[in-house]
Amino acid sequence: VQGVARDLTKRGIKAIEAFGDAKFGDSDDRTGGCLAPADFFLSVGFKTVRPHPRYPRLRLELRTALSWKSDVEYALEKLLGSMSPETLLRPVRPAPATRSTPG
């Protein structure tokens, strides 16, 4: 989920919404649906935006989903991606040496 959140944030997406199955795995469940358990979504940071006894709608705000590490990685990627290879490979010139005079 962190990887998806990072990728979507780079694309300018602000949030992810999903429907979860609140009764996933119940012994009387005969639907065999294709939804993930609502508990999974809640455990990775989604919040319920529309409660429902079976299929709640859940939302993950992407700015809160990313850890500070992901934010730093994204900022570095943008910074390094904006630099040309020539500027990255250019040798750094040492600062001129200064003489100290005994005083």
Side-chain angles (χ1 to χ4, degrees):
V1 172
Q2 285 278 330
V4 169
R6 185 173 29 256
D7 184 52
L8 291 175
T9 299
K10 290 178 189 177
R11 297 172 191 224
I13 305 298
K14 306 278 187 225
I16 304 169
E17 287 197 353
F19 288 94
D21 187 345
K23 296 184 179 182
F24 186 86
D26 281 359
S27 59
D28 62 342
D29 181 16
R30 300 189 203 295
T31 60
C34 62
L35 295 177
D39 289 340
F40 167 75
F41 290 116
L42 294 170
S43 73
V44 295
F46 281 75
K47 306 287 184 219
T48 303
V49 292
R50 177 147 315 185
H52 186 273
R54 179 70 193 250
Y55 304 113
R57 191 174 83 195
L58 306 146
R59 182 179 177 93
L60 178 66
E61 297 293 334
L62 293 179
R63 291 308 310 153
T64 60
L66 296 177
S67 66
W68 66 269
K69 181 181 175 191
S70 297
D71 288 342
V72 170
E73 289 172 351
Y74 177 65
L76 285 172
E77 185 176 307
K78 283 196 76 140
L79 176 67
L80 295 176
S82 67
M83 300 176 113
S84 68
E86 295 79 27
T87 59
L88 289 174
L89 299 175
R90 183 177 46 202
V92 176
R93 294 184 189 145
T98 58
R99 292 187 175 178
S100 60
T101 57

